[in-house]
């Protein structure tokens, strides 16, 4: 997985296609079409366009095997999801991150294993916790600066 990825931004439509690739490791356009045709109500040519765009961005690799093209991912799912969540947290003040994480936990069903893992993470986090999280926003993009005046 050391290929050069030109543009890691994955659009909503591309994400649908990537899920099929991640779930199956190696796919043909036929496979992607069979999975997404109904779910997304896309035509064959729409799906082929999206596959082509993902190859262009370097997110997908393509190899010809006989008359078929085989697509494989250049980015692991875990990595892509991480980039995506980073993107969300880059949009808010650092001070609000803890609250948002709390909301996310509250809004989702978790297994006992998930909760065990979260408890371990939090226990470790306690040794590095700070009195107050620093705001990193330019003045005027969050409320933090208002309280200092
Ligand atoms: Zn701030």
């Amino acid at each position: 997985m050391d290929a050069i990825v030109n543009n890691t931004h994955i659009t909503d439509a591309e994400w649908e296609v990537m899920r099929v690739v991640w779930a199956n490791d190696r796919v043909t356009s036929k496979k992607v079409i069979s999975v997404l045709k109904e779910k997304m109500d896309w035509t064959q040519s729409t799906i082929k366009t999206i596959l082509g765009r993902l190859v262009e961005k370097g997110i997908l690799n393509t190899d010809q095997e006989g008359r078929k093209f085989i697509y494989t991912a250049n980015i692991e799912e875990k990595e892509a999801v991480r980039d995506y969540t980073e993107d969300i947290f880059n949009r808010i003040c650092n001070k609000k991150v803890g609250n948002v994480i709390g909301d996310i936990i509250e809004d989702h069903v978790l297994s006992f294993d998930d909760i065990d893992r979260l408890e371990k993470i939090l226990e470790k986090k306690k040794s590095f916790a700070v009195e107050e999280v620093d705001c990193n926003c330019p003045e005027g993009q969050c409320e933090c600066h208002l309280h200092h005046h």
Side-chain angles (χ1 to χ4, degrees):
M1 300 237 172
D2 47 33
I4 299 158
V5 176
N6 304 319
N7 176 0
T8 54
H9 180 72
I10 302 172
T11 65
D12 290 348
E14 289 165 357
W15 198 278
E16 292 292 337
V17 171
M18 288 310 292
R19 284 190 65 181
V20 183
V21 184
W22 285 321
N24 296 279
D25 281 338
R26 300 158 44 84
V27 297
T28 57
S29 61
K30 208 172 146 193
K31 173 73 187 176
V32 180
I33 290 161
S34 80
V35 174
L36 292 180
K37 223 177 163 184
E38 244 169 77
K39 183 188 178 189
M40 304 306 292
D41 201 22
W42 286 339
T43 64
Q44 204 165 308
S45 82
T46 302
I47 292 168
K48 284 191 172 165
T49 304
I50 297 168
L51 281 167
R53 221 162 47 208
L54 284 163
V55 171
E56 231 169 80
K57 285 185 178 180
I59 293 168
L60 281 186
N61 257 333
T62 177
D63 286 302
Q64 195 165 2
E65 273 178 22
R67 288 168 57 208
K68 283 184 295 193
F69 283 98
I70 310 288
Y71 296 92
T72 49
N74 270 334
I75 302 178
E76 284 175 65
E77 181 174 19
K78 208 179 157 181
E79 203 184 318
V81 171
R82 226 187 165 119
D83 282 353
Y84 192 69
T85 49
E86 264 310 298
D87 226 45
I88 295 168
F89 288 114
N90 282 336
R91 289 164 198 241
I92 57 175
C93 176
N94 278 348
K95 283 182 187 294
K96 292 180 181 163
V97 167
N99 261 326
V100 172
I101 293 171
D103 288 343
I104 291 171
I105 290 171
E106 263 186 332
D107 291 346
H108 292 84
V109 178
L110 298 173
S111 68
F112 287 112
D113 279 355
D114 291 330
I115 292 170
D116 273 352
R117 179 163 179 255
L118 286 168
E119 280 177 343
K120 280 187 190 120
I121 293 170
L122 286 177
E123 203 44 56
K124 244 195 265 166
K125 278 300 225 189
K126 259 188 198 163
S127 353
F128 305 100
V130 292
E131 213 49 64
E132 212 184 318
V133 176
D134 283 334
C135 161
N136 60 328
C137 315
E139 204 170 326
Q141 276 206 315
C142 75
E143 308 87 25
C144 304
H145 305 277
L146 298 173
H147 306 306
H148 297 303
H149 295 300

